[in-house]
Amino acid sequence: MTHERGDATARFAVVGNPDNRRVILFTRAVREAGLPAPRVVPWESVLRDGGAGFADDELVRLDSPGEHTAVDRALRGADDPTRVEGGARWYAGFTAAVASLRGGVRLDDARELSVLFDKRRCHGVLAAAGVPVPASPTSGGAVAVRGWEDVRAVMAAHGMPRVFLKPAHGSSASGVVALESGGLGRLRATTSVEVTREGHLHNSLRLRRLTGEAEIAALVDALAPDGLHVERWWPKASLGGGRAADLRVVVVAGRATHAVVRTSRSPMTNLHLGGRRGDLAAAVEAAGPDAWAEALAVCERAAACFPRTLCVGVDLLPAVGWRRFAVAEVNAFGDLLPGLTGLPGTPAEGLDTYAAQVAAAPAWARRHRPEDGHAHRHVHGPADQHVNPDARTRRAPA
């Protein structure tokens, strides 16, 4: 497949942190498509000025506000970027900043972003659409988890001896706790969170294990005020010498276009926590053609829950045996996979994730432009609302 140059009349703008590699890689993809470099609007100026405006014909991409000290301080209220606390404040500030943007043809829908950055709401949307997901008592915000006692109660009530506790507005495994309970009151928690003498929570690049209930309870109680999402521990398939495996699958304009396997000997496969990239060909072979096609279809169904967002990254959990799959998360900014080209036979073959979006964006934007001519107005309902309200909920069995 030859490199698509896209629409020669397209004009892009990106809201991001100008020196961040995400913005740099996207800018390069736009220029390599033969288009003028995108206009970059810094998140710092959006927060300082109370918004930003765009021309009606600008294709506006929103990129992550992370990895910028001043922006993180404004959103989270903390000077140290490793701090875990402040997720609820970050979420409120980020969604308000997105809502303050005016005009343009958006490649990321504001109301869908508000769902994508709340794991409880996102899980509820996926489950209601019939997308297989791990069972969760907090799906859609049905149950509030206010601390350790609530966690113990929902684990017992739902027969979940092993769960993942996820901060509702976290990312990159920030604040995630993999919790296991056994007979005689035995507990084990695996997490990258460290607690300082002052009681502050910080992310570390090193996973550690806690076995004392008092220590685990203190950690959960400290995480809970920002909101917690609880999911049944999914029994992952293995690959490459018994390493647990999952996948990040990028979906662009409704098509699964890129995939990477992540493997680890710990419950977390994130590369910055010691995970490794696995052999995608080996994963495809382990699944077989029918199951692999189903895996990609599941990711596309998950992305279809957010039809007004051009690109999402789906975290896909293969079950033991590589025949069943569940969606762990859908990420709004899940396309940072430098150098990875698209899957064979897809429109992104030979293109990286950014070039694929540049090629797809003009036609996608024309299909999603509101009919009233005001490109910045969203005439469809939020992601929580579904075209088919009678869709049967289907959670994948544990």
Side-chain angles (χ1 to χ4, degrees):
M1 180 175 179
T2 58
H3 190 297
E4 294 187 35
R5 299 184 68 84
D7 187 337
T9 65
R11 287 204 302 152
F12 285 92
V14 56
V15 183
N17 297 325
D19 295 331
N20 189 273
R21 55 185 173 163
R22 295 172 178 270
V23 172
I24 292 170
L25 289 170
F26 181 73
T27 298
R28 185 178 71 184
V30 172
R31 298 187 69 170
E32 287 181 350
L35 300 171
R39 181 166 70 96
V40 179
V41 178
W43 278 116
E44 190 172 12
S45 67
V46 171
L47 295 169
R48 181 189 65 234
D49 300 338
F54 301 90
D56 282 348
D57 64 342
E58 281 187 298
L59 304 181
V60 183
R61 167 188 170 87
L62 306 188
D63 221 323
S64 172
E67 301 178 3
H68 189 289
T69 301
V71 172
D72 198 61
R73 182 188 305 120
L75 292 174
R76 191 177 299 277
D79 289 330
D80 190 335
T82 69
R83 286 282 292 274
V84 177
E85 304 100 321
R89 173 173 171 166
W90 182 96
Y91 176 77
F94 174 68
T95 53
V98 171
S100 73
L101 303 175
R102 305 174 302 278
V105 181
R106 305 294 176 78
L107 304 182
D108 312 83
D109 182 80
R111 283 175 289 191
E112 290 180 0
L113 283 174
S114 72
V115 175
L116 287 165
F117 280 99
D118 186 323
K119 297 185 193 303
R120 300 160 300 190
R121 293 175 66 192
C122 186
H123 189 285
V125 166
L126 295 171
V131 176
V133 288
S136 169
T138 56
S139 182
V143 174
V145 174
R146 295 157 297 208
W148 175 241
E149 292 303 320
D150 286 346
V151 169
R152 293 302 301 263
V154 297
M155 289 174 69
H158 294 270
M160 296 181 174
R162 305 171 79 219
V163 297
F164 271 78
L165 309 179
K166 302 178 179 181
H169 311 297
S171 61
S172 301
S174 174
V176 172
V177 180
L179 180 63
E180 305 169 78
S181 61
L184 303 176
R186 290 190 300 269
L187 293 167
R188 182 169 69 175
T190 304
T191 184
S192 64
V193 179
E194 294 184 353
V195 184
T196 67
R197 292 180 180 178
E198 297 79 16
H200 297 151
L201 305 182
H202 289 262
N203 282 309
S204 167
L205 296 179
R206 179 180 61 87
L207 290 172
R208 63 196 191 107
R209 288 198 170 114
L210 312 177
T211 56
E213 180 166 3
E215 190 175 16
I216 295 171
L219 173 61
V220 173
D221 286 343
L223 290 168
D226 280 319
L228 281 177
H229 177 56
V230 182
E231 286 183 353
R232 185 186 295 275
W233 188 312
W234 180 264
K236 289 182 184 177
S238 63
L239 193 71
R243 297 171 65 87
D246 62 19
L247 300 103
R248 166 64 59 84
V249 179
V250 176
V251 181
V252 178
R255 290 288 304 276
T257 56
H258 299 75
V260 64
V261 180
R262 305 177 299 188
T263 70
S264 178
R265 296 198 183 281
S266 79
M268 285 80 159
T269 59
N270 303 73
L271 301 182
H272 69 285
L273 295 177
R276 298 178 188 170
R277 282 201 182 188
D279 185 341
L280 180 61
V284 174
E285 183 179 1
D290 292 342
W292 178 247
E294 173 62 13
L296 298 182
V298 166
C299 295
E300 291 175 353
R301 285 161 52 198
C305 294
F306 306 95
R308 299 189 65 79
T309 297
L310 172 66
C311 175
V312 295
V314 179
D315 288 344
L316 188 71
L317 306 175
V320 173
W322 290 91
R323 294 298 183 270
R324 295 184 301 118
F325 303 89
V327 172
E329 296 184 18
V330 182
N331 304 274
F333 305 134
D335 53 4
L336 182 61
L337 299 171
L340 182 71
T341 54
L343 295 167
T346 72
E349 184 174 357
L351 305 178
D352 69 12
T353 58
Y354 297 103
Q357 291 172 71
V358 171
W364 181 90
R366 285 192 292 271
R367 292 196 302 271
H368 291 81
R369 182 187 292 272
E371 294 178 359
D372 64 5
H374 296 284
H376 63 285
R377 293 182 184 173
H378 300 291
V379 297
H380 293 269
D384 304 77
Q385 298 176 0
H386 297 279
V387 174
N388 178 12
D390 298 321
R392 294 178 61 188
T393 299
R394 182 179 64 184
R395 291 185 176 88

